[in-house]
Amino acid sequence: MNLKGMGTSSKQKDGSGSYGNLEVSVFSSTAPVRKKSMSATEIEENYRNFLIPSMEISLKRFLSMGEDYLQDINRIRSIEDKAVRNKLKQECLPSATISATFVSRGKEMSLAQKIKKYNSLIVLDFDDIGEVEDAKADIARLPYVYYAGLSVSGKGLFVIVPIDCQDYSQHKLYFESLQKEMADIGYTVDKACKDVTRLRVLSYDPSPYFNEDCIAYSIIDEQSPEDMSEKEDNETEKDYISSDPSITLNRVDMYVRKWEQEQIPLDDYDDWIRSGMSLSSLGENGGHYFDRISQFSTKYKASETRKQFSELSKSTRTIGIGTFFYLCQSYGILPEDIPHYDSVPFPMEVLPTKIQKILNETNNCLNFPIDFLAPSLMFTAAVACGNSVAIEVKKKWIDKLIFYVAIVGGRGTNKSSCLNFALEPLFQKDQKELETYNKLEEEYAKNQQAPAGEKDSENKEPEFRQTIISDFTLESMIHLHKKNPRGLGVYVDELYGFLNSFDRYRKGNDEQAWTQLFGGLPVLVNRRSSEPVNIQNPCISVIGTIQPELLKDFAKEKVANGFMDRWLFAFPDSVPYPEFSEEEINPDVVKSWARIIKTIHNLEYKGISKVLTFTEQAKKAYTDWFNQLSRQKNHSGPAFAGMSTKMERYCARFALLLEVMKYGCGDSDLTDISLESMKGAICLSYYFMGTALKAQKKFSYSPVNDLNNKQKQIYTNLPISFTTKEGLEVSDECGMPERTFKTWLKSNYFRHMQHGVYEKRYR
């Protein structure tokens, strides 16, 4: 069957924005054509062609193609018999997979093999709903509806909803949530829409609804932050995970089955013990899974495996099931049918043993959340190292320890306390530097005031080599870096204020400078008040805190350009408020952390970095992970792709950082990047990918937030569509002058539909 009108420019209704530009796979029919005169070969050929898309076109183009088939559509709508209508629909009209583009819809292929790119769109079908236009207007009021139009029969609707998830395996989960919401307002959705490969038959609506400014649909957690804070303080990680519906025995089983398919030998003893300890959190079921993943080892003995699991089950040391998932991911075990990036506890087991002890001690005695303190310790170690050590990922790709970290948590969750504890050794170093500088400055000043014949020509003006800075301009920071070429750490207690300070002292682009600094690229700062300053080898990391409700404003206008993709988010699901602990922290713990940082800071740096390379095994692990992530990106949307592309760089930095931290603990001679460090880096990458996706859900921004209180009140009270007279009545009740309101109507907050009739652009 030839598709009509593909070479002509059909009249476009609307939908020309970002969602409309997404591509869909078009199929020439919704069922294979069969005629009595066809041979078996012809039937088979027709069926094969039916499974393969004819082309890929934009969504807006597909939605406007109905005019090219209007005669066929009107004929179908004139027929009362539903069975006849369906047969004609299958034979006469093309269809498309709106939710994604596909190589094929064949059942012999797995979903991962079939799908090319997930569009993060869900189609909802509503059949035989009576007053169709009323229903369309009703559904169009929902802020997350992009399109609503008549179905082929003319008696139903189909609706397109964008979602805030780039993982196609969660399509069904989001559909079921939308299905429930529709039922709550009285509309029944065809349950077949849960299929991500489902075909949408071409239709026509003379007055479809489009909203390019709609928000992406998000699944809201049923449990509020207040409820979470009221949990029992002695709740274990096992209890928490078992309460998460996405982490179940079924999920573990899927990972184990994938492990069996790959037949990966678990010969590393430490990994074997960690997997057993993690699975022991599941009780007796865990022993069964432990045996199934152990069987491919060259050292496998069933009796020894059972005995080891029994011993691990009795251990008082608890490792949650999250460790098992991290371990699977580090071995390349990624099942295709489940989401991989759920938010799970920080994988502290990848850090050196001495640092794990610091985390446990401060957690027990000072109530420091591990998800906040661990990234703070990592940041401090990175700053202490600075430019002294770098990593060569491949020729011409040299990277160093530059991290942008956001500690995300509510008020009173010890965010700042964790940061201050971690940074204390560098604060102390800066204090000693300042004392030495003040003493030398005093001596220099006296020397300058001495008579010419008594001046010491060797007495040079001292320089203060500061490491941690908080209050600065971009220019002053670059000057400080010039004095301390090893590197700087920026600590701002409130990150929201930090980003708001961009371009505070000049008309320029501080954001562009920070983007360059993230990549370690040379930066030149020009100011009218001073000479230009150039840093050829910058190494500046940033850390700070922010509350979850401020993330939307934090990311405002910084998502599309990729700036937010450069940030690591320490963003646990919940941080309970603990009771007072009588236990005092052991002073040796504080001293131990100070010694680790001092050892790292003593690494020599005289303008040239020591460059480490991967061991052969570590390089293979990184390459396999990189390629696996690339396949995932090819099946996902632009938000996931942007974030995960930066994670490719962060993964190498994590590997280097773990090697540096082990050196600080006396566990590495810092000659290369080991396989152990690479595996740990992969675990950290998955953790921060999960928290980044969680943060992205908070980034959805509405321009309505920029309105003042009076404007917001009016905008809320206005109906979606209104006349000038109706608008003036609402604005008058809220105290806005007529002239002011009429001027405001000309802004981008409203659409001018026809003479005297307006529509709100944002819901």
Side-chain angles (χ1 to χ4, degrees), residues 158-169:
F158 78 94
V159 171
I160 301 175
V161 176
I163 62 174
D164 67 351
C165 176
Q166 291 81 43
D167 189 341
Y168 64 86
S169 64

Side-chain angles (χ1 to χ4, degrees), residues 19 143 164 212-216 496 549-560 564 695-708 712 749 761-763:
Y19 294 119
D164 67 351
E212 279 290 350
D213 299 311
C214 67
I215 64 172
Y496 179 66
E549 58 268 24
L550 294 178
L551 281 173
K552 183 182 290 186
D553 289 335
F554 176 68
K556 182 182 175 184
E557 298 178 0
K558 293 177 176 62
V559 175
M564 280 297 108
Q696 281 181 3
K697 292 183 179 182
K698 302 285 186 179
F699 292 168
S700 300
Y701 174 75
S702 171
V704 176
N705 293 338
D706 293 334
L707 298 175
N708 60 41
K712 282 182 182 177
Y749 285 93
R761 187 179 293 272
Y762 307 106
R763 301 292 187 259

Side-chain angles (χ1 to χ4, degrees), residues 443-444 446-462:
E443 293 174 0
Y444 175 76
K446 287 180 181 178
N447 186 60
Q448 289 296 100
Q449 294 169 5
E454 298 178 18
K455 284 185 179 179
D456 182 0
S457 60
E458 298 296 322
N459 192 331
K460 304 295 184 183
E461 184 175 3

Side-chain angles (χ1 to χ4, degrees), residues 19-87:
Y19 294 119
N21 288 332
L22 290 170
E23 292 194 331
V24 299
S25 292
V26 178
F27 294 77
S28 57
S29 64
T30 58
V33 178
R34 292 190 180 187
K35 297 179 180 177
K36 292 181 180 179
S37 59
M38 282 185 176
S39 65
T41 304
E42 289 175 323
I43 292 174
E44 184 180 346
E45 179 67 19
N46 272 356
Y47 182 72
R48 188 161 50 249
N49 291 337
F50 156 70
L51 295 174
I52 300 173
S54 305
M55 64 186 73
E56 289 179 7
I57 62 174
S58 69
L59 174 59
K60 66 185 179 188
R61 179 70 188 93
F62 177 75
L63 293 175
S64 67
M65 277 173 55
E67 286 185 317
D68 302 323
Y69 290 80
L70 193 53
Q71 185 175 350
D72 294 323
I73 292 171
N74 284 336
R75 182 159 65 100
I76 291 169
R77 288 177 177 173
S78 67
I79 296 171
E80 290 297 324
D81 190 316
K82 188 173 182 178
V84 176
R85 282 205 313 265
N86 286 338
K87 186 174 185 300

Side-chain angles (χ1 to χ4, degrees), residues 183-197:
D184 289 343
I185 60 174
Y187 295 102
T188 301
V189 182
D190 185 345
K191 62 182 180 181
C193 297
K194 66 184 178 184
D195 182 5
V196 71
T197 70

Side-chain angles (χ1 to χ4, degrees), residues 323-340:
T323 297
F324 173 69
F325 297 135
Y326 285 128
L327 186 70
C328 288
Q329 290 163 346
S330 69
Y331 276 81
I333 303 298
L334 296 172
E336 298 161 355
D337 301 323
I338 59 175
H340 311 310

